[in-house]
Amino acid sequence: MTGRFVLASASPRRRELLGRLGIDPVVRPVDVDERPRPGEPARDLVLRLAHAKAAACDAPVADVVLAADTVVVVDGDVLGKPVDAADAAAMLRRLSGRGHEVLTAVVVRHDGRVGEAVVSTEVAFRALDPAEIAWYVATGEPADKAGAYAIQGGAGAFVTGIVGSDTSVIGLPLAATVGLLRAVGWDPYGGAAAPQVGPA
């Protein structure tokens, strides 16, 4: 396979997840405006941002470019990355003792082909007391996480159940990613992936 594998994200979590597939990407962070548009549904938002990130990545057509975006949705509201510690604490209070949806969009492009997917996962939190919310916020872990938590970190102790992809909650749904890569003609396992038509 020719070309490089380019990750259009500074997220160490997405890089680590690609490492599970044996992929060591070239990291090319991009800067896009992640603010939702008025009335924009969460699914449309994450897909638009993933496409914007892929488009903003300056890479040759032979390269594989992967971009992704993740948001948490509760009561129809989108929770992105908290702006400060108080915002993080407020998000965690909203998630306490209930379920929420995590949406991750993935976009890949290679040799003129583009694949996209949006993966939805349901996550349930146990009730959180004010002291543990304060402790968790003080760790700094919520600072750059959608919904102000990292399921692979300290917030793993908050989770009582997951329906869907755990890797999507971390930031990159691996099953969907493999399907998309094969759909654009790049097999992470080294085989000859024939381009597919339709959803991966």
Side-chain angles (χ1 to χ4, degrees):
M1 294 182 286
T2 60
R4 303 167 301 169
F5 194 107
V6 180
L7 174 61
S9 171
S11 168
R13 297 164 296 282
R14 292 189 176 118
R15 183 173 183 175
E16 289 165 7
L17 287 168
L18 287 172
R20 296 188 192 182
L21 302 177
I23 298 170
D24 184 15
V26 175
V27 176
R28 288 278 183 85
V30 295
D31 186 21
V32 301
D33 184 352
E34 297 188 2
R35 290 175 294 183
R37 295 169 177 168
E40 184 175 29
R43 183 174 290 265
D44 294 350
L45 169 66
V46 289
L47 192 56
R48 175 175 64 81
L49 293 179
H51 273 288
K53 292 174 182 180
C57 184
D58 184 17
V61 69
D63 287 353
V64 177
V65 173
L66 183 148
D69 192 75
T70 301
V71 297
V72 168
V73 185
V74 60
D75 295 330
D77 295 334
V78 172
L79 305 185
K81 299 171 184 176
V83 296
D84 55 25
D87 191 30
M91 288 185 184
L92 291 166
R93 286 194 295 270
R94 289 195 68 179
L95 300 178
S96 174
R98 58 178 305 181
H100 59 272
E101 182 183 25
V102 178
L103 289 173
T104 295
V106 183
V107 171
V108 297
R109 61 179 172 89
H110 174 56
D111 278 344
R113 295 186 289 272
V114 178
E116 65 177 47
V118 179
V119 175
S120 172
T121 302
E122 295 293 328
V123 180
F125 269 24
R126 62 174 173 79
L128 308 177
D129 63 53
E132 63 187 328
I133 289 176
W135 169 84
Y136 185 57
V137 171
T139 68
E141 192 172 86
D144 63 343
K145 314 295 192 303
Y149 75 91
I151 197 172
Q152 74 279 15
F158 304 160
V159 177
T160 59
I162 299 176
V163 179
S165 168
D166 63 331
T167 56
S168 183
V169 180
I170 298 171
L172 188 67
L174 289 184
T177 297
V178 169
L180 290 176
L181 290 171
R182 286 175 165 168
V184 299
W186 196 92
D187 192 335
Y189 302 110
Q196 302 168 9
V197 177

